[in-house]
mmCIF file of all heavy atoms in Angstrom:
data_model
loop_
_atom_site.group_PDB
_atom_site.id
_atom_site.type_symbol
_atom_site.label_atom_id
_atom_site.label_comp_id
_atom_site.label_asym_id
_atom_site.label_seq_id
_atom_site.Cartn_x
_atom_site.Cartn_y
_atom_site.Cartn_z
ATOM 1 N N LEU A 255 -16.031 -3.478 14.577
ATOM 2 C CA LEU A 255 -17.327 -2.819 14.434
ATOM 3 C C LEU A 255 -18.279 -3.200 15.570
ATOM 4 O O LEU A 255 -19.003 -2.366 16.104
ATOM 5 C CB LEU A 255 -17.957 -3.165 13.089
ATOM 6 C CG LEU A 255 -17.282 -2.570 11.843
ATOM 7 C CD1 LEU A 255 -17.946 -3.066 10.583
ATOM 8 C CD2 LEU A 255 -17.330 -1.054 11.891
ATOM 9 N N GLU A 256 -18.252 -4.475 15.956
ATOM 10 C CA GLU A 256 -19.117 -4.917 17.051
ATOM 11 C C GLU A 256 -18.668 -4.350 18.389
ATOM 12 O O GLU A 256 -19.468 -4.221 19.310
ATOM 13 C CB GLU A 256 -19.136 -6.450 17.106
ATOM 14 C CG GLU A 256 -19.864 -7.103 15.937
ATOM 15 C CD GLU A 256 -19.814 -8.608 16.009
ATOM 16 O OE1 GLU A 256 -19.053 -9.135 16.860
ATOM 17 O OE2 GLU A 256 -20.535 -9.267 15.228
ATOM 18 N N ALA A 257 -17.384 -3.995 18.490
ATOM 19 C CA ALA A 257 -16.874 -3.408 19.729
ATOM 20 C C ALA A 257 -17.144 -1.919 19.830
ATOM 21 O O ALA A 257 -16.699 -1.274 20.771
ATOM 22 C CB ALA A 257 -15.375 -3.673 19.840
ATOM 23 N N GLY A 258 -17.847 -1.380 18.843
ATOM 24 C CA GLY A 258 -18.210 0.031 18.890
ATOM 25 C C GLY A 258 -17.388 0.932 18.019
ATOM 26 O O GLY A 258 -17.522 2.151 18.098
ATOM 27 N N GLU A 259 -16.517 0.344 17.171
ATOM 28 C CA GLU A 259 -15.716 1.183 16.286
ATOM 29 C C GLU A 259 -16.501 1.424 15.007
ATOM 30 O O GLU A 259 -16.135 1.006 13.924
ATOM 31 C CB GLU A 259 -14.376 0.487 15.958
ATOM 32 C CG GLU A 259 -13.621 0.052 17.176
ATOM 33 C CD GLU A 259 -13.268 1.210 18.072
ATOM 34 O OE1 GLU A 259 -13.142 2.338 17.559
ATOM 35 O OE2 GLU A 259 -13.098 1.008 19.279
ATOM 36 N N GLY A 260 -17.638 2.093 15.139
ATOM 37 C CA GLY A 260 -18.534 2.298 14.010
ATOM 38 C C GLY A 260 -17.989 3.271 13.001
ATOM 39 O O GLY A 260 -17.147 4.103 13.302
ATOM 40 N N PRO A 261 -18.482 3.197 11.754
ATOM 41 C CA PRO A 261 -17.976 4.073 10.706
ATOM 42 C C PRO A 261 -18.383 5.520 10.866
ATOM 43 O O PRO A 261 -17.895 6.381 10.153
ATOM 44 C CB PRO A 261 -18.601 3.477 9.427
ATOM 45 C CG PRO A 261 -19.812 2.757 9.905
ATOM 46 C CD PRO A 261 -19.487 2.256 11.271
ATOM 47 N N HIS A 262 -19.287 5.827 11.815
ATOM 48 C CA HIS A 262 -19.726 7.209 11.961
ATOM 49 C C HIS A 262 -19.075 7.897 13.154
ATOM 50 O O HIS A 262 -19.459 9.001 13.500
ATOM 51 C CB HIS A 262 -21.251 7.263 12.124
ATOM 52 C CG HIS A 262 -21.983 6.657 10.976
ATOM 53 N ND1 HIS A 262 -21.958 7.185 9.718
ATOM 54 C CD2 HIS A 262 -22.732 5.527 10.884
ATOM 55 C CE1 HIS A 262 -22.684 6.435 8.900
ATOM 56 N NE2 HIS A 262 -23.151 5.428 9.582
ATOM 57 N N GLU A 263 -18.107 7.228 13.773
ATOM 58 C CA GLU A 263 -17.463 7.849 14.923
ATOM 59 C C GLU A 263 -16.498 8.928 14.467
ATOM 60 O O GLU A 263 -15.981 8.915 13.359
ATOM 61 C CB GLU A 263 -16.705 6.788 15.736
ATOM 62 C CG GLU A 263 -17.673 5.811 16.411
ATOM 63 C CD GLU A 263 -16.951 4.874 17.357
ATOM 64 O OE1 GLU A 263 -15.731 5.015 17.484
ATOM 65 O OE2 GLU A 263 -17.606 4.021 17.940
ATOM 66 N N GLY A 264 -16.248 9.867 15.376
ATOM 67 C CA GLY A 264 -15.466 11.045 15.038
ATOM 68 C C GLY A 264 -14.112 10.776 14.423
ATOM 69 O O GLY A 264 -13.791 11.318 13.381
ATOM 70 N N PRO A 265 -13.263 9.920 15.042
ATOM 71 C CA PRO A 265 -11.915 9.742 14.522
ATOM 72 C C PRO A 265 -11.864 9.232 13.094
ATOM 73 O O PRO A 265 -10.898 9.433 12.395
ATOM 74 C CB PRO A 265 -11.302 8.714 15.487
ATOM 75 C CG PRO A 265 -12.091 8.867 16.747
ATOM 76 C CD PRO A 265 -13.482 9.216 16.314
ATOM 77 N N LEU A 266 -12.926 8.532 12.646
ATOM 78 C CA LEU A 266 -12.903 7.975 11.311
ATOM 79 C C LEU A 266 -13.320 8.982 10.254
ATOM 80 O O LEU A 266 -12.894 8.914 9.110
ATOM 81 C CB LEU A 266 -13.820 6.746 11.239
ATOM 82 C CG LEU A 266 -13.444 5.592 12.140
ATOM 83 C CD1 LEU A 266 -14.442 4.482 12.007
ATOM 84 C CD2 LEU A 266 -12.055 5.099 11.806
ATOM 85 N N ASP A 267 -14.183 9.901 10.598
ATOM 86 C CA ASP A 267 -14.730 10.806 9.624
ATOM 87 C C ASP A 267 -14.186 12.228 9.743
ATOM 88 O O ASP A 267 -14.127 12.962 8.778
ATOM 89 C CB ASP A 267 -16.257 10.848 9.720
ATOM 90 C CG ASP A 267 -16.896 9.528 9.334
ATOM 91 O OD1 ASP A 267 -16.271 8.845 8.496
ATOM 92 O OD2 ASP A 267 -17.958 9.191 9.851
ATOM 93 N N ALA A 268 -13.824 12.645 10.945
ATOM 94 C CA ALA A 268 -13.388 14.020 11.148
ATOM 95 C C ALA A 268 -11.994 14.226 10.567
ATOM 96 O O ALA A 268 -11.136 13.372 10.694
ATOM 97 C CB ALA A 268 -13.384 14.356 12.641
ATOM 98 N N PRO A 269 -11.749 15.364 9.912
ATOM 99 C CA PRO A 269 -10.409 15.645 9.389
ATOM 100 C C PRO A 269 -9.424 15.837 10.530
ATOM 101 O O PRO A 269 -9.765 16.381 11.580
ATOM 102 C CB PRO A 269 -10.594 16.932 8.579
ATOM 103 C CG PRO A 269 -11.810 17.586 9.167
ATOM 104 C CD PRO A 269 -12.710 16.452 9.600
ATOM 105 N N LEU A 270 -8.205 15.387 10.331
ATOM 106 C CA LEU A 270 -7.190 15.502 11.358
ATOM 107 C C LEU A 270 -6.673 16.925 11.492
ATOM 108 O O LEU A 270 -6.241 17.335 12.548
ATOM 109 C CB LEU A 270 -6.015 14.556 11.046
ATOM 110 C CG LEU A 270 -6.390 13.069 11.071
ATOM 111 C CD1 LEU A 270 -5.221 12.238 10.580
ATOM 112 C CD2 LEU A 270 -6.799 12.642 12.455
ATOM 113 N N LEU A 271 -6.712 17.682 10.411
ATOM 114 C CA LEU A 271 -6.290 19.068 10.438
ATOM 115 C C LEU A 271 -7.299 19.914 9.680
ATOM 116 O O LEU A 271 -7.743 19.536 8.599
ATOM 117 C CB LEU A 271 -4.905 19.238 9.792
ATOM 118 C CG LEU A 271 -3.688 18.842 10.607
ATOM 119 C CD1 LEU A 271 -2.439 18.952 9.727
ATOM 120 C CD2 LEU A 271 -3.526 19.719 11.825
ATOM 121 N N SER A 272 -7.682 21.028 10.253
ATOM 122 C CA SER A 272 -8.559 21.949 9.555
ATOM 123 C C SER A 272 -7.769 22.652 8.459
ATOM 124 O O SER A 272 -6.538 22.723 8.511
ATOM 125 C CB SER A 272 -9.130 22.985 10.530
ATOM 126 O OG SER A 272 -8.091 23.807 11.008
ATOM 127 N N PRO A 273 -8.435 23.203 7.426
ATOM 128 C CA PRO A 273 -7.714 23.910 6.356
ATOM 129 C C PRO A 273 -6.860 25.057 6.922
ATOM 130 O O PRO A 273 -5.741 25.274 6.420
ATOM 131 C CB PRO A 273 -8.844 24.428 5.475
ATOM 132 C CG PRO A 273 -9.979 23.476 5.688
ATOM 133 C CD PRO A 273 -9.872 23.076 7.156
ATOM 134 N N ALA A 274 -7.367 25.780 7.915
ATOM 135 C CA ALA A 274 -6.588 26.880 8.474
ATOM 136 C C ALA A 274 -5.334 26.373 9.172
ATOM 137 O O ALA A 274 -4.252 26.975 9.061
ATOM 138 C CB ALA A 274 -7.456 27.670 9.464
ATOM 139 N N GLU A 275 -5.456 25.230 9.871
ATOM 140 C CA GLU A 275 -4.293 24.669 10.558
ATOM 141 C C GLU A 275 -3.276 24.128 9.571
ATOM 142 O O GLU A 275 -2.062 24.226 9.766
ATOM 143 C CB GLU A 275 -4.729 23.585 11.537
ATOM 144 C CG GLU A 275 -5.439 24.159 12.769
ATOM 145 C CD GLU A 275 -6.071 23.060 13.604
ATOM 146 O OE1 GLU A 275 -6.349 21.985 13.028
ATOM 147 O OE2 GLU A 275 -6.287 23.263 14.801
ATOM 148 N N GLU A 276 -3.771 23.524 8.475
ATOM 149 C CA GLU A 276 -2.855 23.014 7.437
ATOM 150 C C GLU A 276 -2.052 24.148 6.823
ATOM 151 O O GLU A 276 -0.883 24.001 6.485
ATOM 152 C CB GLU A 276 -3.639 22.259 6.368
ATOM 153 C CG GLU A 276 -4.181 20.922 6.833
ATOM 154 C CD GLU A 276 -4.965 20.217 5.738
ATOM 155 O OE1 GLU A 276 -5.248 20.899 4.733
ATOM 156 O OE2 GLU A 276 -5.271 19.041 5.894
ATOM 157 N N ALA A 277 -2.701 25.313 6.657
ATOM 158 C CA ALA A 277 -2.005 26.461 6.083
ATOM 159 C C ALA A 277 -0.929 27.011 6.998
ATOM 160 O O ALA A 277 0.066 27.570 6.548
ATOM 161 C CB ALA A 277 -3.014 27.562 5.740
ATOM 162 N N ARG A 278 -1.113 26.813 8.329
ATOM 163 C CA ARG A 278 -0.143 27.366 9.276
ATOM 164 C C ARG A 278 0.985 26.406 9.603
ATOM 165 O O ARG A 278 1.967 26.794 10.195
ATOM 166 C CB ARG A 278 -0.887 27.736 10.590
ATOM 167 C CG ARG A 278 -1.812 28.932 10.474
ATOM 168 C CD ARG A 278 -2.188 29.411 11.860
ATOM 169 N NE ARG A 278 -2.963 28.414 12.596
ATOM 170 C CZ ARG A 278 -4.297 28.386 12.624
ATOM 171 N NH1 ARG A 278 -4.993 29.273 11.932
ATOM 172 N NH2 ARG A 278 -4.917 27.465 13.329
#
Side-chain angles (χ1 to χ4, degrees):
L255 290 176
E256 290 178 350
E259 308 299 333
H262 302 294
E263 292 187 1
L266 298 178
D267 294 330
L270 295 173
L271 282 174
S272 66
E275 288 170 336
E276 288 180 348
R278 290 194 296 266

